[in-house]
Amino acid sequence: MSTSIAHGHLADIDRIAQVGQDRKRGGYSRHLWQAADLELREWFIQRAGDLNLDVETDRNGNIWAWWGPPGEGAVVTGSHLDSVPGGGAFDGPLGVISALEAVGRLQQAGVHPTKPFAILVFAEEEGSRFGVACLGSGLMTGKLDPARVLALSDADGITFADAAKHAGFSTSALGYDKEALSRIGVFIELHVEQGRGLIELGSPTALASSILAHGRWTLTFKGQGNHAGATLMADRDDPMVAAARAVLEIRDAALSFKGARATVGKISANPGGANVIASSVTMTLDARADSDESTRALVDDIVKRVGAKSVTEDSWSPEVRFDSDIATKLRKAIGEVPMLPSGAGHDAGVLADVAPTGMIFVRNPTGVSHAPEEFAELADCVAGIDALESVLRGLL
Ligand code: HGY
Ligand code: MN
Ligand code: MN
């Protein structure tokens, strides 16, 4: 069946290619309720409208596009449109675009859903603006406390509450959404693969078997702010030195836990002057491993090793094992494709313990993600849409 293609890409990837380009970092920076996110929301709403889907934004900022009347036990597919800073073009949007393409094909083929169906676009999956991953799905499922979320602030000190107000979004009912959850009979997320698994397996698509346990922490190192020139080396209490040692200790700790990963993605000195010894340094820690216990043990080991003044947990996503019945159903629809563990977190992982959930991965020939080099060949994108279309046919 036809797929809309332009300039050798999926037409929609092409259509949104200018939105949120980050000239400084490269790639894309598309964060909740900032201009690029608002523009992508508009694009999705318009695109869903072209397919005569009825669109509504729920109490947590997630967008639902219904094919027919909303109802309980719906077949739901989708992903997210936001990105990491300087992220790739496919992480998130590929799942949303593939859902739109699959619906377009089913409509062209004269299919009429026998049960409620929706495309779902989650808010702030990356947590890039407010620091907490899977914000929209976490609020919907009650895993995130709305009071805590309202008080979260971005790098400019703007709170979630103020950002929402500025975007004209009411947060009066933010939080657990029983009605929305009751509507999800099954959730399928298609996503670009974020590693080399499918390159090594030589397959354009795969199903997800699991997601690593993962979390985010902020570590703070304190010292004595002072003059870079007037302070002898022997008289310094420089937190930047402690932070530098900590980065190496974090790497060594992760190497000592089989299959674990630990990353310091952001580090900032306060006050941050070239001729100033910092008074404090904060860094983010992203730690992941194949079970909740080993991730917690890894972080305990890191905390012991680095001697930070303070350690705060910002985000926690337990290990996910996807529903094997759904995987069997997906395999029946798309054939014997490999099963892949995911090192990356997803909204599907947040939903996995509240609704039958599955994921379809599409090969990324660079094996790179969360960077401008993230890519998916057109033929593999079409294979992903073929797979999603077959799955939806079987479920609808
Ligand atoms: O960080 C992750 O694993 C996902 O991309 N949000
Ligand atoms: Mn991501
Ligand atoms: Mn993603």
Side-chain angles (χ1 to χ4, degrees):
M1 298 296 269
S2 76
T3 303
S4 18
I5 291 164
H7 311 119
H9 292 295
L10 290 178
D12 285 314
I13 285 278
D14 209 53
R15 236 175 246 131
I16 64 173
Q18 305 306 320
V19 182
Q21 279 187 349
D22 190 321
R23 309 258 179 241
K24 194 165 81 70
R25 297 183 178 95
Y28 292 94
S29 292
R30 298 161 166 170
H31 309 319
L32 187 61
W33 293 325
Q34 291 180 340
D37 181 63
L38 296 175
E39 201 175 331
L40 287 176
R41 284 169 176 264
E42 269 316 302
W43 158 79
F44 174 73
I45 291 169
Q46 207 253 317
R47 207 37 192 90
D50 295 346
L51 293 170
N52 297 313
L53 306 183
D54 298 322
V55 178
E56 59 183 12
T57 300
D58 70 17
R59 65 178 70 177
N60 295 305
N62 308 305
I63 311 173
W64 298 70
W66 289 95
W67 181 8
E72 304 224 333
V75 174
V76 183
T77 183
S79 190
H80 61 96
L81 292 170
D82 67 301
S83 74
V84 294
F90 295 83
D91 175 355
L94 184 62
V96 175
I97 290 168
S98 300
L100 290 163
E101 286 289 336
V103 168
R105 291 179 175 191
L106 293 171
Q107 291 182 346
Q108 273 171 1
V111 169
H112 295 286
T114 57
K115 49 179 90 145
F117 173 87
I119 298 176
L120 179 49
V121 178
F122 284 105
E124 183 80 345
E125 187 276 342
E126 296 293 2
S128 297
R129 183 169 183 189
F130 294 102
V132 175
C134 296
L135 215 50
S137 52
L139 283 164
M140 179 197 285
T141 53
K143 292 177 182 172
L144 287 176
D145 170 10
R148 179 190 166 215
V149 170
L150 285 166
L152 291 173
S153 55
D154 68 9
D156 300 324
I158 300 171
T159 63
F160 180 98
D162 288 344
K165 207 152 89 196
H166 187 70
F169 177 76
S170 159
T171 55
S172 58
L174 198 74
Y176 179 62
D177 191 343
K178 191 162 180 267
E179 190 194 4
L181 290 177
S182 70
R183 289 177 168 178
I184 304 175
V186 60
F187 179 68
I188 308 293
E189 180 168 6
L190 181 144
H191 204 284
V192 66
E193 206 226 324
Q194 297 175 285
R196 301 186 49 79
L198 283 175
I199 302 165
E200 279 136 28
L201 291 166
S203 166
T205 60
L207 300 180
S209 55
S210 61
I211 296 180
L212 288 183
H214 59 288
R216 297 184 196 181
W217 290 262
T218 299
L219 309 181
T220 302
F221 298 85
K222 291 265 189 218
Q224 176 53 58
N226 217 324
H227 194 295
T231 317
L232 298 178
M233 293 311 283
D235 296 341
R236 294 179 178 215
D237 175 7
D238 183 351
M240 188 59 93
V241 174
R245 279 206 188 95
V247 173
L248 296 175
E249 285 290 350
I250 288 166
R251 179 210 48 196
D252 295 346
L255 287 170
S256 69
F257 279 74
K258 188 171 166 304
R261 299 112 205 248
T263 310
V264 175
K266 287 201 288 192
I267 188 164
S268 64
N270 171 43
N275 57 350
V276 177
I277 300 169
S279 50
S280 66
V281 173
T282 56
M283 64 172 68
T284 57
L285 168 65
D286 176 310
R288 309 190 187 208
D290 57 9
S291 73
D292 299 3
E293 298 70 27
S294 36
T295 307
R296 292 278 181 206
L298 168 61
V299 173
D300 289 349
D301 182 36
I302 286 172
V303 169
K304 272 194 215 96
R305 285 173 179 241
V306 301
K309 182 83 181 145
S310 73
V311 178
T312 47
E313 180 172 304
D314 301 319
S315 186
W316 173 252
S317 311
E319 176 214 352
V320 171
R321 299 245 162 243
F322 283 108
D323 182 313
S324 52
D325 296 345
I326 289 291
T328 311
K329 270 197 191 140
L330 294 181
R331 275 202 149 134
K332 228 165 112 223
I334 57 181
E336 279 308 307
V337 292
M339 298 292 287
L340 266 187
S342 175
H346 302 282
D347 291 305
V350 177
L351 289 187
D353 61 357
V354 290
T357 299
M359 287 193 77
I360 299 169
F361 286 131
V362 172
R363 179 166 47 195
N364 167 352
T366 69
V368 171
S369 182
H370 283 188
E373 297 82 1
E374 179 186 274
F375 188 64
E377 300 287 357
L378 177 59
D380 290 349
C381 292
V382 173
I385 297 166
D386 292 347
L388 185 59
E389 181 196 357
S390 316
V391 163
L392 297 181
R393 261 180 203 278
L395 291 170
L396 279 175

